[in-house]
Amino acid sequence: MEKRKRYEIVRITAAVLLLTALFFYLLFYAAKHVEKNRPRVFGSTYMTMNNPYFSALNESIRNIVEANGDILITRDPAQNQQRQNEQILEMIDEGMSVLFANAVDWEEIEPALAACREAGVDVFVVDTKVENNDEVVSVIESDNYHAGELVALDLMKKLPDGGDIVVMNHYNVYSTVERRQGFLDVLSGHPEYRIVSETHATSEIEVGTREMNRILKEGVRFDAVLGCNDPTAQGAIAGLQMNDIEIEDEILIYGVDGSPDMKSMINRGIAEGTVAQYPIRMGKIAAETAYEYLSGKEVPKSVLVDVNLITRANLSEFDINGWQ
């Protein structure tokens, strides 16, 4: 009888231990399953959302992130680097694990990127480099140097005897630094092409308009304008129109982006050309690169997206009303 009792106790104890082990196994499995299926939080930040180019880029990223069941949160620093750094820290606190970053200032964003490294956030830089590219996973950008080259080559073809040029640039953004350099390198050795005025903090329509008004008040005369992006070129056009200066066939205005507005101006004969960037393609590449990296695959450190010059000669090859 004692034997049977002891046997029952052992059997019950073994059953309890087995059930306890099974309970904890199921609990562990459920936790792992929940963790695996919990949506990841991606963050994105651009120098400004006042430029439709960045809206197109961001929506392309969002489409892929949300198709994977994940979440994209986006911040607009409105050209303020301190605000951008603060917003990146806020997104880290919100559980961000991946950041798509477009810096207001390619050097001053570093403290926020350092915070991402400490928090284990993977950073993918889009549209333009940052100072310390070694600390990010990948840089996905347009071939900005070539964009400047394309504008210079077209300008030289259309002004074969030379001309006076205004360059409207933004020194805080490395993509525009590269565009300017490509432009100047093509003109190098051709003294008949002269830079008669240059701005260094222009990237939005309002600022471009204000700077063009200033240049005109200073009495500067010129034959062509290179805008570091389309909003700058549009601002230059607005400034010229406000001062009743004839643009069509008189002054060559170039931008970089390939925006619908700029393509419309080319079609109307107001602008001469714009170098098409491909924000939809760039966003797709950036998001796909991030997911490949998260799956354990090796990804390229740098991805250059091709650019193309749009003028009246090839405008019909592009969607005037949309982005590439």
Side-chain angles (χ1 to χ4, degrees), residues 4 6 18 39 42 101 161 163 183-184 189 206 247 315-316:
R4 183 177 295 178
R6 283 199 301 271
L18 181 62
F42 290 68
D161 298 325
F183 181 78
L184 295 180
E206 297 81 2
I247 301 174
L315 184 59
S316 61

Side-chain angles (χ1 to χ4, degrees), residues 15-33:
V16 168
L17 290 172
L18 181 62
L19 288 172
T20 302
L22 181 61
F23 170 77
F24 281 109
Y25 172 78
L26 290 173
L27 193 65
F28 175 78
Y29 177 81
K32 278 289 189 183
H33 183 72

Side-chain angles (χ1 to χ4, degrees), residues 139-154:
V139 179
I140 300 94
E141 61 174 338
S142 297
D143 191 343
N144 290 297
Y145 183 87
H146 188 47
E149 290 181 312
L150 289 173
V151 172
L153 290 169
D154 192 71

Side-chain angles (χ1 to χ4, degrees), residues 105-224:
D105 185 302
W106 73 295
E107 297 174 319
E108 297 301 322
I109 195 175
E110 174 54 32
L113 298 184
C116 286
R117 290 193 296 273
E118 290 177 15
V121 175
D122 300 313
V123 178
F124 296 82
V125 170
V126 292
D127 180 66
T128 183
K129 294 181 179 73
V130 293
E131 183 181 30
N132 194 356
N133 290 298
D134 292 337
E135 299 295 339
V136 304
V137 176
S138 189
V139 179
I140 300 94
E141 61 174 338
S142 297
D143 191 343
N144 290 297
Y145 183 87
H146 188 47
E149 290 181 312
L150 289 173
V151 172
L153 290 169
D154 192 71
L155 182 149
M156 293 174 74
K157 182 173 69 176
K158 290 168 180 172
L159 295 175
D161 298 325
D164 295 329
I165 305 162
V166 170
V167 175
M168 304 182 79
N169 192 40
H170 196 330
Y171 66 90
N172 286 341
V173 181
Y174 198 71
S175 59
T176 67
V177 173
E178 290 182 301
R179 292 167 197 168
R180 173 184 179 274
Q181 195 58 54
F183 181 78
L184 295 180
D185 285 351
V186 170
L187 297 183
S188 177
H190 298 274
E192 65 272 27
Y193 298 97
R194 297 166 294 274
I195 308 301
V196 294
S197 184
E198 186 166 6
T199 68
H200 294 286
T202 316
S203 65
E204 295 185 308
I205 292 175
E206 297 81 2
V207 183
T209 303
R210 185 179 69 228
E211 288 298 300
M212 180 52 66
N213 281 326
R214 178 187 61 78
I215 290 167
L216 293 172
K217 284 179 183 176
E218 291 175 355
V220 179
R221 296 289 179 264
F222 48 91
D223 305 295

Side-chain angles (χ1 to χ4, degrees), residues 41-57:
V41 177
F42 290 68
S44 62
T45 176
Y46 308 89
M47 63 183 75
T48 176
M49 294 304 286
N50 193 32
N51 185 344
Y53 169 84
F54 291 118
S55 296
L57 172 57

